[in-house]
Amino acid sequence: MKLFATLCLGLVLRLSASLPVADVTKEDGAVQDAALPNRCDGIEFDAITPDEKGKVIFFKGAHLWKGFHGPAQLSNELFKELDDDHNIGHVDAAFRMHDPENHDDHDHIYFFLDDKVFSYYNQTLESGYPKSIQDDFPGVPSHLDAAVECPKGECVTDSVLFFKGHDVHVYDIATKAVKTKTWSNLPVCTSALRWLEHYYCFHGHNFTRFHPVSGEVNGTYPKDARDYFTDCPNFGHGGNYKIPKCSEVKIDAITSDNQGKKYFFAGPIYMRLDSQRDGLHAFPIVRTWKELTNGVDAVFSHADKHYMIKGDQVYIYKMDPHKTLIEGYPKSLKEELGIEGHVDAAFLCGDENTVSIIQGKKLYDIDLSATPRIVTKDYPLPISDIDAALCDSKGVYVFKGPSYYHYETAFTLGMARIAPVAESITPDMMGCLE
């Protein structure tokens, strides 16, 4: 069941207590070798980049950290050429290539040191590297401070932003043209990261979010990276989360948008999965849907909008980057969907205009193209106390606690009189603990 294979943060349902700082060097509350650097002490990173699987890697000197959790390790344990024997030892800048038109380069990681560039794929240095920066990226200067990918739609074209001082060299991947801008309002970046369509300039142990085309900074910055990009005792803007055991997993709702991004809701938290290459990330629901202060009961997506159900209210948000609440909402369930009572789950298949609502042991089909909304069909269900449901190209998945039921189609679910054998959520599916 590959749909959930990368739900690697588990469904982080419970806040763990903050961990005290002990005498032995720790990160994430775990003892680590005193000789290893600890990013919880406040570190200015040399470079930051996601790998081809979405895991963000932070570099400092001869060490790196994989992801937002865990201790440092030697860089040459992953990238064997990053050692003194090969006269590298550290990197000046790094980025993951975004070139969907050229699969030979797509998702490769590029490291820069002085006037050289190194290209890695699956942690293996590619043949012919290192090369001169000018050979691979003509017009880009040497001794860089930072680099970050910028796909078309966020930049004008598929591009790479190279930072040196206050100058930003915008490299067009297709044409290899370089345009240089000066962003004096932005701090000198020692590393940069694109994360969930936002761009971050890291400097000292702080970061500043910026617009990738204009360099504009909106909001209160700088902010401490330890509050957002790593798990550190006594830091964090939303608390530390604990991965549950598989037997304890419980989700409230699941949906996907028109770009294939999936959203998993659990208590006050939602997890967003863009793709295999971007990994899964957890946030407070109110960070994105600020009016939903008490979580959700059910969610479905239709016609470029998210329908969020809580209690007897329906909130409808635009699927824009700001998740704007439609004027006039929330409205009552009765007014919006023509039903009353608690909603356990909701799902909609593809571009259809029919949403399926589950209440207890009943399933209702509601025509969203009708005004007012009307229930077109209702079916008895062989199971009750359903938590969430999702329809995708492989069928309908119905979740109940740490188990799920799979149906080939929504019609199969509606006509079923006997429940299929429940299957248990596993670590491979959701990253939960045995």
Side-chain angles (χ1 to χ4, degrees):
M1 187 174 168
K2 295 181 180 178
L3 169 66
F4 304 103
T6 57
L7 191 46
C8 58
L9 288 184
L11 295 169
V12 284
L13 313 185
R14 300 174 302 175
L15 290 172
S16 65
S18 297
L19 299 173
V21 179
D23 293 335
V24 180
T25 301
K26 290 188 175 185
E27 184 174 330
D28 306 343
V31 178
Q32 73 174 46
D33 189 332
L36 296 177
N38 182 359
R39 57 183 164 179
C40 291
D41 292 336
I43 280 179
E44 184 172 80
F45 298 109
D46 295 330
I48 306 173
T49 182
D51 66 13
E52 66 277 2
K53 296 180 180 178
K55 179 77 75 173
V56 179
I57 305 176
F58 300 79
F59 293 86
K60 179 64 176 179
H63 295 87
L64 62 79
W65 293 262
K66 291 181 64 178
F68 306 135
H69 312 266
Q73 64 184 96
L74 287 168
S75 300
N76 59 27
E77 293 177 3
L78 286 186
F79 307 97
K80 66 180 182 180
E81 290 80 13
L82 299 184
D83 58 28
D84 292 335
D85 291 339
H86 293 83
N87 199 29
I88 302 176
H90 74 282
V91 294
D92 293 334
F95 77 93
R96 181 182 62 184
M97 174 65 81
H98 177 83
D99 190 3
E101 303 300 322
N102 185 350
H103 291 287
D104 290 338
D105 286 338
H106 190 58
D107 282 349
H108 289 219
I109 301 175
Y110 287 85
F111 295 143
F112 297 82
L113 175 66
D114 297 335
D115 61 351
K116 301 294 184 184
V117 58
F118 303 76
S119 177
Y120 280 84
Y121 191 71
N122 286 333
Q123 301 174 16
T124 300
L125 185 66
E126 293 192 274
S127 177
Y129 286 87
K131 296 180 180 179
S132 165
I133 292 176
Q134 291 300 309
D135 289 340
D136 255 6
F137 301 94
V140 174
S142 59
H143 300 278
L144 293 163
D145 293 324
V148 66
E149 63 174 340
C150 187
K152 184 178 179 179
E154 297 169 26
C155 281
V156 178
T157 64
D158 286 315
S159 306
V160 183
L161 308 182
F162 292 98
F163 295 79
K164 186 170 183 177
H166 287 290
D167 289 339
V168 180
H169 307 272
V170 183
Y171 179 86
D172 186 306
I173 293 173
T175 66
K176 298 188 176 183
V178 177
K179 294 182 180 179
T180 301
K181 305 177 181 181
T182 301
W183 291 345
S184 56
N185 63 305
L186 198 65
V188 174
C189 309
T190 61
S191 56
L193 174 67
R194 173 185 179 264
W195 191 53
L196 296 182
E197 301 162 4
H198 293 304
Y199 291 78
Y200 300 90
C201 162
F202 288 78
H203 44 96
H205 58 76
N206 296 317
F207 71 89
T208 296
R209 198 176 91 185
F210 65 94
H211 192 283
V213 175
S214 65
E216 183 180 1
V217 175
N218 289 314
T220 304
Y221 291 97
K223 296 180 179 179
D224 196 313
R226 293 169 291 184
D227 283 326
Y228 294 83
F229 290 94
T230 188
D231 246 355
C232 293
N234 304 318
F235 287 91
H237 67 292
N240 299 315
Y241 300 108
K242 184 177 180 181
I243 298 175
K245 294 180 180 179
C246 292
S247 60
E248 298 173 348
V249 167
K250 178 178 172 60
I251 55 180
D252 296 330
I254 306 174
T255 193
S256 60
D257 65 17
N258 54 3
Q259 296 179 345
K261 299 172 184 175
K262 295 182 176 64
Y263 300 83
F264 305 77
F265 298 84
I269 301 301
Y270 82 94
M271 285 68 67
R272 170 178 152 181
L273 177 64
D274 288 10
S275 68
Q276 295 279 1
R277 72 191 293 269
D278 290 321
L280 184 100
H281 308 281
F283 304 96
I285 293 174
V286 292
R287 178 186 186 274
T288 302
W289 298 278
K290 63 182 180 180
E291 292 81 8
L292 294 170
T293 57
N294 296 307
V296 297
D297 295 330
V299 178
F300 66 92
S301 302
H302 174 67
D304 298 329
K305 298 179 180 66
H306 292 299
Y307 289 67
M308 325 283 281
I309 301 171
K310 180 63 179 179
D312 63 353
Q313 300 290 300
V314 180
Y315 300 74
I316 302 181
Y317 292 84
K318 295 179 182 178
M319 285 188 200
D320 57 23
H322 304 291
K323 299 294 187 292
T324 306
L325 183 67
I326 300 293
E327 186 177 354
Y329 286 86
K331 293 182 179 180
S332 71
L333 265 171
K334 181 66 176 178
E335 182 180 4
E336 183 62 34
L337 297 177
I339 59 174
E340 294 179 284
H342 176 77
V343 175
D344 294 313
F347 65 89
L348 189 146
C349 298
D351 296 326
E352 296 181 3
N353 289 317
T354 298
V355 60
S356 296
I357 299 291
I358 296 175
Q359 292 182 303
K361 295 187 71 172
K362 295 279 287 187
L363 184 147
Y364 300 92
D365 284 348
I366 298 173
D367 185 357
L368 296 176
S369 65
T371 304
R373 304 286 194 253
I374 57 172
V375 175
T376 57
K377 292 180 181 179
D378 64 87
Y379 310 89
L381 294 177
I383 52 178
S384 61
D385 300 320
I386 292 169
D387 295 324
L390 177 73
C391 181
D392 70 3
S393 60
K394 296 180 181 179
V396 177
Y397 297 88
V398 176
F399 290 85
K400 181 177 179 178
S403 302
Y404 70 94
Y405 303 83
H406 178 238
Y407 297 85
E408 291 185 358
T409 64
F411 180 76
T412 304
L413 169 62
M415 297 304 295
R417 296 299 172 260
I418 300 175
V421 176
E423 301 181 58
S424 296
I425 293 172
T426 66
D428 288 341
M429 289 168 57
M430 294 191 175
C432 45
L433 304 175
E434 290 279 15

